[in-house]
């Protein structure tokens, strides 16, 4: 599209879960489907941006018009994001695993020494590291998936991670957000909180991209 709202801009999006290996055949993961992140990448491409989508393992096809890079672990995701910078906008929609195991070289066999215990170490925070890094995009957007104290957690995240905007959504059991088709979000910035209606993930993506275009055009978040 010529003359799209994000024409001439580079947008980097992370999406999906990460997989953290325990041994050559097992991993730690989470319930992220990648639907929201992929929808945002597709919407940004439709708005004329050059889009780099960095995706964990998902059951979705690569969205049209994006350069999609497939990774598995959080550390690989961070490396791919850093390699994709500089960018004008960074949207961290991935559900990055907070911890990883020190993976065993060989498959852990059962019945040898009872159940193995996993010692976990913290993964890098991709959003915080991009937000505070030397190549910080002009607009940095994070997500907050919480089961309680949604807005307070989102505001705290805004400060802790140094981003400009947090898309907060309730992922309590029964909301159907994880893997579902719709999402109900609150847009949290230092300027305040905006409650959005329940929307299809594609429509939320369109609306978010329209807002990002406004913000990067000079309006304060
Ligand atoms: O505090 P929490 O980790 O839940 O924050 C979620 C936000 O941070 C999301 O935007 C997610 O993509 C990002 N994140 C990240 N790297 C991590 C953990 C979270 O980029 N290791």
């Amino acid at each position: 599209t010529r003359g799209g709202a994000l024409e001439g801009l580079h947008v980097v999006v992370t999406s999906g879960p990460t997989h953290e290996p325990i041994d050559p055949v097992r991993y730690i993961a989470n319930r992220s489907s990648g639907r929201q992140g992929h929808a945002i990448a597709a919407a940004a491409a439709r708005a004329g941006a050059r889009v780099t989508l960095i995706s964990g393992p998902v059951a979705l096809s690569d969205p049209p018009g994006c350069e999609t890079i497939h990774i598995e672990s959080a550390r690989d995701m961070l490396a791919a994001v850093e390699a994709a910078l500089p960018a004008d906008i960074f949207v961290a929609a991935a559900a990055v695993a907070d911890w990883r195991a020190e993976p065993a070289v060989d498959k852990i066999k059962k019945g040898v020494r009872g159940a193995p215990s996993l010692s976990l170490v913290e993964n890098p925070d991709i959003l915080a590291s991009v937000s505070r890094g030397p190549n910080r995009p002009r607009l940095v957007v994070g997500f907050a998936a919480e089961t309680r104290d949604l807005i307070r957690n989102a505001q705290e995240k805004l400060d802790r991670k140094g981003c400009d905007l947090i898309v907060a959504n309730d992922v309590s059991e029964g909301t159907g957000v994880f893997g579902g088709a719709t999402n109900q979000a609150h847009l949290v910035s230092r300027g305040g909180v905006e409650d959005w209606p329940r929307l299809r993930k594609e429509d939320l993506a369109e609306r978010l991209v329209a807002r990002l275009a406004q913000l990067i055009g000079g309006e304060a978040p």
Side-chain angles (χ1 to χ4, degrees):
T1 7
R2 290 205 144 264
L6 294 181
E7 194 70 43
L9 301 182
H10 182 208
V11 178
V12 175
V13 180
T14 67
S15 183
T18 63
H19 284 186
E20 308 299 328
I22 294 170
D23 70 13
V25 301
R26 303 182 178 95
Y27 57 82
I28 300 170
N30 61 64
R31 293 185 187 281
S32 169
S33 68
R35 288 181 69 155
Q36 187 62 76
H38 277 53
I40 292 165
R46 282 196 302 276
R50 175 166 83 82
V51 179
T52 310
L53 171 63
I54 299 165
S55 173
V58 294
L60 304 171
S61 40
D62 294 352
C66 305
E67 186 194 349
T68 304
I69 296 166
H70 297 270
I71 53 78
E72 295 204 345
S73 71
R75 286 192 294 178
D76 292 346
M77 183 174 273
L78 175 61
V81 168
E82 279 172 350
L85 297 179
D88 301 283
I89 302 177
F90 177 54
V91 181
V96 183
D98 292 310
W99 308 283
R100 67 174 182 275
E102 206 62 76
V105 177
D106 292 310
K107 183 180 173 188
I108 302 168
K109 304 300 284 179
K110 72 177 161 191
V112 177
R113 255 175 291 172
S117 54
L118 291 177
S119 69
L120 301 178
V121 297
E122 218 162 292
N123 265 331
D125 190 313
I126 298 163
L127 175 56
S129 127
V130 168
S131 209
R132 303 196 186 286
N135 269 327
R136 188 191 199 279
R138 263 191 292 161
L139 207 48
V140 176
V141 183
F143 275 69
E146 303 285 349
T147 54
R148 57 177 69 224
D149 296 328
L150 183 59
I151 302 301
R152 200 168 51 78
N153 273 307
Q155 280 162 340
E156 183 266 335
K157 219 157 279 193
L158 205 59
D159 288 337
R160 183 160 46 85
K161 307 214 181 202
C163 50
D164 304 301
L165 212 55
I166 290 274
V167 182
N169 55 276
D170 186 342
V171 293
S172 307
E173 227 175 308
T175 60
V177 169
F178 265 123
T182 65
N183 208 344
Q184 209 244 304
H186 310 268
L187 209 62
V188 181
S189 69
R190 289 188 182 75
V193 181
E194 224 178 274
D195 302 319
W196 283 9
R198 175 165 294 278
L199 295 167
R200 293 188 325 132
K201 287 179 178 175
E202 290 76 12
D203 296 332
L204 192 149
E206 288 282 349
R207 195 164 165 162
L208 180 64
V209 161
R211 175 55 57 89
L212 297 180
Q214 276 178 1
L215 293 176
I216 205 132
E219 292 167 46

